[in-house]
Amino acid sequence: MNDFALVSKNLWRKPVRTILLIISITIAFLILSLMLSFNSSLSNVNTLPTRMVTLSKINFTESLPIAHYDRIARTEGVRAATHMNWFGGYYQDPARGFLPVFAVDPETYFQVYAEDLGIPAAERDAFFRERTAMLVAAPVAERWGWRVGQRIPINSNIFTNGTTGSSTWEFTLVGTIPTPPGSSQSGSVLIHYDYFNETITFGRDRIGWVPFLTTSAEMNDSVANAIDQRFANSQDETSTQDEATFNESFAAQLGNIGLVITLVVSAAFIAILLIVGTTMALAVRERTREVGVMKTLGFSSGRVLRMVLAESLLLSFLGAAVGLGLAALILTVLASSGGGGGPAISFAPIVIAWAALIALALGLVTGLPPALQAYRMRIVDAFARR
Amino acid sequence: MTDLIRLSDVEKSYVRGKEKIVIFDKLTMRIEAGDFVAIMGPSGSGKTTLLNLLGGTDRPDKGAIEFDDKHIEKLSEGQLTAWRSVNVGFIFQFYNLMPILTAAQNVELPLLLTKLSPKKRRENVATALQIVGLEDRAKHRPREMSGGQQQRVAIARAIVSDPKLLLCDEPTGDLDRTTADEILSTLQTLNRELGKTIIMVTHDAEAAKFAKRVLHLDKGRFDERELAA
Ligand SMILES: Nc1ncnc2c1ncn2[C@@H]1O[C@H](COP(=O)(O)OP(=O)(O)O)[C@@H](O)[C@H]1O
Ligand SMILES: [Mg+2]
């Protein structure tokens, strides 16, 4: 036997109580790890320092006239430019998740995002050639069970297909894009802008935003100024940002959701803090006499304090470990079933560091009051019959 | 015989509310090494308080307490705690065993404070349980044992680190006559054969007969003739 054995025997003295406590701590850590994983997956997209984006000054859902694209592409310091539209897609059943379908200009898109589009030349050329071609991130094809060569109906929840009068377009899958972690193409579904533009019933000749490359990162500010100046006081004013800033502001839009999640997680932890704190205090008070015996036998006050703290830390780390394990399991299962769209959410290692830190804080905050009480307890008082 | 314990002009009082309750006023006494003393006296006469002072679980307000010629009233809190673990074994009326530990683990508890190897610890625990005749109950938890058995475990725990002094506060107060007599015989054996100095508080005149001498305490004062004898 040693002190640790004693600590863990004390923890399991009332197994039902301990298990209930661990379950509640587990839930809080599960929510925390899922949220952190979600967050870090979103903000973990690789960026190029020379890649910039021009979009409507109003907000990123507002479109721009196609004429803007030519002017931006011809601006001094712009090496290559492309344009993208949000299609608002889903496959068969919107309840099974949205698809981030982008209508793009294929050849310029491959110039601007070259580093993430290392696919076989045959697939690339097929995508350039066929008007109804579609290129998707490999995990997307895998999730929906799509094969290259297959014709796939995609619905839009924004646009109507003028040729059929329905919201469905048919595309031919011509290839898949491998998406290692951080790839800008995670979740992407790419279709031709021309095909899209000619078949929609409204919003023709407008584009969503214009990604482009500058000749060097030093040029970024002057290029951004030149572009935004060019369209100042026009019908469609623009805002030009480098890619990292753009991603951040995109994440900030989701940030409102993030704030809500943060509040939920905080509330969960405050509740846990109160529950575990009062239970630990009660548990140690029940043991007043035993603490007196330990001290009588010659256990120092400091050692008793450490043992109570160790008990609450053990409890808190057990809950954290189970919560993290569950989160990792859930994310693995989700990943193998493909998830909805957008960047794949994977278990972020940073979660372990955060969880350890929070478990430490939880253990200390809940353990310190009873530990101090045990530390200060005088032997004669512990045995006093009240 | 040499003195194991000397109390000189010990004063002790408690404050309850605005009232100051004097328990001992200039108490002076000595106890020889190897003695077995029974202390009797009415409730509230200060018997438990005296044991607390002798065992270093409480401190005198004034006066000196020497143990083996060492002034324990001058020790710091930490020193006193360490001193206690080496020199004193405690036996209580309600056994005070840890419910979550087996008999052997309860006996092992004081040895966590020593540097003994796990093997040596197991040997000492086995010896202590053997002395109290409970080697076959090593794996039982307190609630699986009778009161008499629990008190035996408590005695084993008190002697496992081989202290010179055993302090017993009403050790048979909760036991029937036969069981009480068994426990008292065990204490007598510890005194006679292992040379433990024992100070036992008791209400029970029969129990006191197992001791070498009896001291009567009343309102914080011992009978002077008994003390001088
Ligand atoms: N911690 C304490 N605080 C206040 N009064 C106490 C305390 N301990 C004991 N007393 C009082 O001191 C007196 C002696 O108590 P005690 O030594 O327990 O007597 P005994 O063991 O002989 O019954 C009693 O009046 C008791 O109420
Ligand atoms: Mg008493």
Side-chain angles (χ1 to χ4, degrees), chain A residues 86-105:
Chain A
W86 179 249
F87 179 80
Y90 63 92
Y91 178 60
Q92 292 174 343
D93 178 4
R96 291 180 64 194
F98 79 98
L99 279 173
V101 179
F102 300 110
V104 302
D105 179 50

Side-chain angles (χ1 to χ4, degrees), chain B residues 21-138:
Chain B
I21 308 164
V22 178
I23 314 290
F24 296 118
D25 183 25
K26 298 211 183 302
L27 177 66
T28 297
M29 71 184 292
R30 1 179 247 104
I31 287 161
E32 289 179 342
D35 208 347
F36 185 170
V37 184
I39 296 177
M40 300 190 71
S43 208
S45 55
K47 307 182 294 295
T48 298
T49 306
L50 178 64
L51 290 193
N52 286 339
L53 293 173
L54 294 173
T57 51
D58 201 356
R59 288 169 176 280
D61 300 335
K62 269 191 189 154
I65 301 175
E66 288 164 87
F67 184 97
D68 258 352
D69 300 324
K70 184 176 179 172
H71 280 268
I72 63 163
E73 85 280 3
K74 291 190 177 137
L75 298 179
S76 71
E77 205 57 48
Q79 289 169 327
L80 191 62
T81 303
W83 170 84
R84 218 163 40 228
S85 71
V86 173
N87 292 290
V88 193
F90 296 85
I91 296 157
F92 309 87
Q93 177 176 359
F94 297 107
Y95 332 124
N96 282 341
L97 300 175
M98 299 283 170
I100 48 167
L101 301 181
T102 63
Q105 287 166 337
N106 265 291
V107 176
E108 192 185 354
L109 207 51
L111 298 181
L112 296 189
L113 300 161
T114 66
K115 292 202 166 67
L116 297 181
S117 69
K119 182 169 172 285
K120 186 79 179 104
R121 280 198 245 153
R122 272 196 299 279
E123 285 171 15
N124 291 8
V125 169
T127 308
L129 282 172
Q130 208 168 359
I131 290 173
V132 298
L134 272 187
E135 53 272 52
D136 57 335
R137 290 283 185 277

